[in-house]
Amino acid sequence: MCGIVGYIGNKKAIPVLINGLSKLEYRGYDSAGVSVNENGVLKVIKCKGRLSCLEDRLEAEKLEGCMGIGHTRWATHGEPNDVNSHPHISQSGEIAVVHNGIIENYMQIKEFLAGQGYTFQSETDTEVIAHLVEYYYEGSLVDAVMKVIDEIEGSYALGVLCRDEQDMFVCARKDSPLIIGLGEGENFIASDIPAILEYTRNIYILEDKEVAILKRDSVQVFNSLGAPVKKEVFKVDWNVEAAEKGGFEHFMMKEMYEEPKVVRDTINPRIQNGELVLDSINITKEDIEKLDKIYIVACGTAYHAGVIGKYIIERLCRIPVEVDVASEFRYRDPLISERNMTIIISQSGETLDTLFALREARKGGSRILSIVNVVGSSIARDSDDVLYTWAGPEIAVASTKAYNTQLAALYLVALDLGLKKGTISKEQVNSILDEMKKIPSGIEEILKYKDGIQKFAHAHFNSKSIFFIGRSLDYALSMEGSLKLKEISYIHSEAYAGGELKHGTIALIEKGTLVVCPMTQDCLFEKMVSNIREVKARGAVVLAITQEKHREELEKTADMVLTIPDVDSLVAPISAVTPLQLFAYYMAIERGCDVDKPRNLAKSVTVE
């Protein structure tokens, strides 16, 4: 989950590293550090806390070197402190390393190195890499790194400096993302594109167990056997401004305001001359007729999108769908066969649990269809079919616009499968697509009324527990609303199926308890009104989210009603999540929380 940046060129390295780390701080902000090679001396400055703490320390240092590596950390092994911060340096000061991932056999390596006389300063798994590179170093840094990656088990993205090799540094990756930026007289490494987009749009995407040597004027890539690899240049086609705040106080608010555009971008290009055309999906009618089950596998917010996907696919395609949390999927020995399809959902396309679940499904013979945002990501490259969500870079840790586009993509997949299978007609597909086209303008209307949501949040931000209840698609929506609130406001929150209230949950309701009720499904509206009456009778305060046509009736029952523009109930969750996101945002703001960087969380989860 950590962020890595590396630079070699003719500029001073520190400004480039700090600028890159500032674009990656969403990946981890427990600590930060840099190492620069200055005339054969590795200078390391690192400290606990946000990147600003590191910048303060660097003001007192005059690091002039033109080659260096930097890191922003999300702690796994060892608490956040100065010593556990990266970069880690070897015993003699010969090697400096930054690392994203987890080395699973680090204890065995640590014991071996201790027997060779090495001593350890930190509690991290990464420190063993620095010592092990030094142990193997005999004049060639790349040879030493190649030997190390043969020894270590787990996941890693590495940047490695050597004090004796002043014109190059080495990087490597396995199961953790790492890219190489190609410049003129300078080259870069980074965990993610925004870190280097200011300097270059041309990148190499490293594959597993590839190692690269970066010099000012060249990049060489090798496979695990040491053979040269010819890489294709990937050209980034979005601009720097897409990863900046653009005048908004927080990335999260900016990204909610981008939802209308990105939902349009995900839907509209897939409708050509009145036909649904899904790029990079080549599933035929015969392929679909062979399926007896679809798995949807994801984590966190993407998992909640998958729960809605289950409802939609089963309704439109009449194929059984099972939704799994990715971190549990491969450990429960799932029954997978060639008669299955697995839909993998990930914003980054690098989520490690999800990537491992993909590989488990493929091992069983399943076809893999991925819904991802990042072009060229590991999950996209490992899939049979890919549908990209054109959400652009999402910087805030709590996902917003990526979720809306994941939902839109799942609806498009369901329509495509249902039409090919013959369970829905072309007229039905066109009707649903027409309703989906209303969603972006609907979200624009919702955003106009954010002040009312802020006012309600101001009245209730001291709540100790908040419950979300819903039925059918609204239950899945409740799960995402509850997660968003927990993530950024730190208020205890749970989501329950409305029909489960009487089976135990209602015991938690007392006078003043806030209950949030998404109510977008016309066929279940009256049942949800009954649920509201049940919690109101126990003293609850109710915030309801419904379509405009139900406002007048619902105002008789709920304490506060937020409405979305009228749209077919089937597609309503795509826009109905936006008021829940705004509610979570303003609750967090009222409590003084950092909405873009919530405690203990990071954006891209690249460790198990």
Side-chain angles (χ1 to χ4, degrees):
M1 301 210 246
C2 308
I4 289 173
V5 179
Y7 173 75
I8 183 169
N10 298 311
K11 302 185 182 84
K12 292 180 181 179
I14 289 299
V16 178
L17 297 177
I18 294 299
N19 185 43
L21 291 176
S22 72
K23 306 297 194 304
L24 296 179
E25 200 174 9
Y26 65 89
R27 300 179 71 92
Y29 32 91
D30 291 336
S31 60
V34 294
S35 178
V36 171
N37 191 324
E38 286 196 349
N39 301 316
V41 177
L42 294 184
K43 295 189 176 180
V44 177
I45 307 293
K46 57 183 183 174
C47 61
K48 175 185 175 182
R50 298 289 175 90
L51 185 60
S52 57
C53 300
L54 176 64
E55 291 181 89
D56 290 342
R57 288 202 184 180
L58 287 169
E59 283 185 7
E61 304 286 338
K62 301 299 179 186
L63 301 183
E64 304 291 332
C66 297
M67 176 174 70
I69 51 178
H71 188 272
T72 180
R73 181 176 186 241
W74 186 87
T76 53
H77 293 67
E79 67 181 64
N81 60 32
D82 290 4
V83 175
N84 289 331
S85 304
H86 296 216
H88 287 282
I89 198 156
S90 64
Q91 188 153 289
S92 70
E94 188 171 35
I95 303 294
V97 173
V98 291
H99 169 223
N100 175 19
I102 288 180
I103 306 305
E104 295 173 353
N105 62 335
Y106 86 100
M107 285 302 298
Q108 297 96 306
I109 296 172
K110 189 172 184 177
E111 289 172 6
F112 166 76
L113 289 169
Q116 302 299 312
Y118 286 88
T119 58
F120 292 81
Q121 306 302 316
S122 76
E123 304 169 89
T124 70
D125 56 335
T126 303
E127 190 180 356
V128 304
I129 300 174
H131 295 316
L132 195 59
V133 173
E134 179 178 290
Y135 174 79
Y136 281 124
Y137 183 70
E138 296 178 344
S140 171
L141 181 60
V142 69
D143 287 349
V145 171
M146 295 284 282
K147 290 175 181 176
V148 167
I149 65 175
D150 278 342
E151 296 284 341
I152 58 178
E153 298 171 5
S155 60
Y156 55 81
L158 300 173
V160 187
L161 296 182
C162 177
R163 70 183 178 196
D164 297 331
E165 303 201 30
Q166 300 174 43
D167 65 341
M168 55 86 77
F169 72 95
V170 171
C171 66
R173 71 149 286 184
K174 175 180 175 289
D175 294 330
S176 289
L178 196 65
I179 61 171
I180 297 173
L182 308 171
E184 295 290 334
E186 58 185 3
N187 290 298
F188 313 78
I189 63 170
S191 297
D192 204 355
I193 291 169
I196 59 174
L197 190 56
E198 182 176 326
Y199 308 103
T200 181
R201 293 176 176 274
N202 297 319
I203 67 172
Y204 288 155
I205 300 172
L206 285 187
E207 301 284 353
D208 276 357
K209 286 206 166 185
E210 287 184 342
V211 179
I213 300 173
L214 281 83
K215 298 183 178 182
R216 287 175 175 82
D217 298 311
S218 67
V219 173
Q220 297 172 281
V221 182
F222 305 91
N223 64 20
S224 59
L225 300 176
V229 176
K230 184 175 176 56
K231 303 292 289 185
E232 290 187 15
V233 175
F234 176 78
K235 192 169 183 65
V236 181
D237 59 5
W238 43 271
N239 56 32
V240 176
E241 289 73 24
E244 300 294 343
K245 287 183 184 175
F248 288 89
E249 186 177 357
H250 299 99
F251 278 110
M252 184 176 176
M253 180 59 79
K254 172 181 179 279
E255 288 157 7
M256 286 187 283
Y257 266 82
E258 291 172 346
E259 287 174 0
K261 177 185 184 301
V262 298
V263 171
R264 284 191 186 99
D265 290 346
T266 298
I267 296 172
N268 291 356
R270 276 69 187 248
I271 304 171
Q272 301 175 12
N273 300 318
E275 300 288 335
L276 183 61
V277 179
L278 301 189
D279 46 310
S280 301
I281 292 184
N282 302 301
I283 302 172
T284 66
K285 176 180 174 65
E286 292 70 30
D287 293 330
I288 297 167
E289 288 175 344
K290 292 176 184 175
L291 297 178
D292 58 19
K293 182 186 287 187
I294 293 174
Y295 290 99
I296 300 179
V297 182
C299 299
T301 286
Y303 170 80
H304 297 153
V307 176
I308 288 181
K310 167 186 169 68
Y311 284 103
I312 300 305
I313 292 172
E314 288 187 338
R315 189 175 302 181
L316 298 181
C317 307
R318 311 312 297 166
I319 301 172
V321 179
E322 198 169 316
V323 189
D324 269 274
V325 174
S327 57
E328 292 294 320
F329 181 73
R330 73 186 183 116
Y331 296 113
R332 69 174 180 84
D333 195 17
L335 301 173
I336 305 168
S337 75
E338 66 279 355
R339 296 185 63 82
N340 302 151
M341 181 167 71
T342 303
I343 299 176
I344 300 289
I345 310 172
S346 169
Q347 188 280 138
S348 68
E350 301 290 350
T351 310
L352 198 61
D353 285 318
T354 310
L355 181 60
F356 286 164
L358 180 157
R359 292 172 181 169
E360 182 72 16
R362 181 177 296 288
K363 188 168 64 177
S366 174
R367 185 180 188 128
I368 308 297
L369 186 159
S370 66
I371 295 174
V372 297
N373 188 35
V374 179
V375 177
S377 56
S378 296
I379 288 173
R381 297 197 308 275
D382 285 356
S383 301
D384 299 299
D385 307 280
V386 184
L387 188 64
Y388 287 110
T389 60
W390 300 115
E394 189 179 65
I395 306 301
V397 168
S399 181
T400 53
K401 63 176 181 172
Y403 176 81
N404 300 69
T405 58
Q406 287 166 353
L407 290 186
L410 281 163
Y411 279 81
L412 294 176
V413 168
L415 290 171
D416 183 60
L417 297 179
L419 183 61
K420 288 174 178 174
K421 189 182 179 191
T423 49
I424 52 174
S425 66
K426 186 174 181 181
E427 291 72 27
Q428 288 173 301
V429 170
N430 289 337
S431 175
I432 295 170
L433 288 174
D434 287 343
E435 292 297 308
M436 290 178 68
K437 290 176 187 176
K438 298 177 185 177
I439 296 295
S441 60
I443 297 174
E444 289 169 351
E445 288 300 310
I446 292 165
L447 290 166
K448 290 178 183 177
Y449 300 108
K450 68 182 190 300
D451 291 348
I453 301 174
Q454 183 176 16
K455 184 177 179 181
F456 186 83
H458 178 72
H460 295 280
F461 72 91
N462 281 322
S463 298
K464 296 294 187 291
S465 288
I466 297 176
F467 300 101
F468 288 70
I469 59 173
R471 290 173 180 260
S472 184
L473 292 172
D474 289 331
Y475 172 44
L477 194 57
S478 294
M479 294 166 67
E480 175 57 16
S482 177
L483 174 63
K484 210 56 52 194
L485 184 70
K486 282 183 279 199
E487 282 181 311
I488 62 174
S489 76
Y490 318 141
I491 297 173
H492 171 257
S493 176
E494 301 294 342
Y496 297 100
E500 281 292 286
L501 276 176
K502 294 181 284 293
H503 298 280
T505 309
I506 203 165
L508 297 170
I509 305 299
E510 57 188 8
K511 186 174 178 59
T513 301
L514 179 55
V515 179
V516 182
C517 304
M519 301 171 64
T520 68
Q521 303 301 295
D522 289 347
C523 63
L524 293 167
F525 183 81
E526 292 301 329
K527 290 188 182 298
M528 278 303 301
V529 169
S530 296
N531 290 143
I532 289 176
R533 291 195 179 109
E534 289 167 357
V535 296
K536 289 283 289 180
R538 275 79 182 175
V541 176
V542 173
L543 168 64
I545 294 94
T546 191
Q547 300 194 50
E548 182 61 38
K549 62 189 174 184
H550 295 304
R551 176 194 288 274
E552 186 175 344
E553 182 178 355
L554 200 51
E555 284 179 339
K556 300 173 186 176
T557 312
D559 297 277
M560 173 74 174
V561 179
L562 302 176
T563 61
I564 64 172
D566 293 340
V567 70
D568 188 282
S569 293
L570 187 73
V571 303
I574 306 175
S575 56
V577 71
T578 301
L580 296 177
Q581 295 165 348
L582 286 165
F583 173 65
Y585 174 87
Y586 283 118
M587 292 290 277
I589 292 295
E590 293 289 339
R591 292 167 66 88
C593 302
D594 186 340
V595 294
D596 282 343
K597 300 183 181 77
R599 68 188 182 201
N600 303 332
L601 298 179
K603 181 68 175 175
S604 181
V605 184
T606 55
V607 296
E608 278 197 281

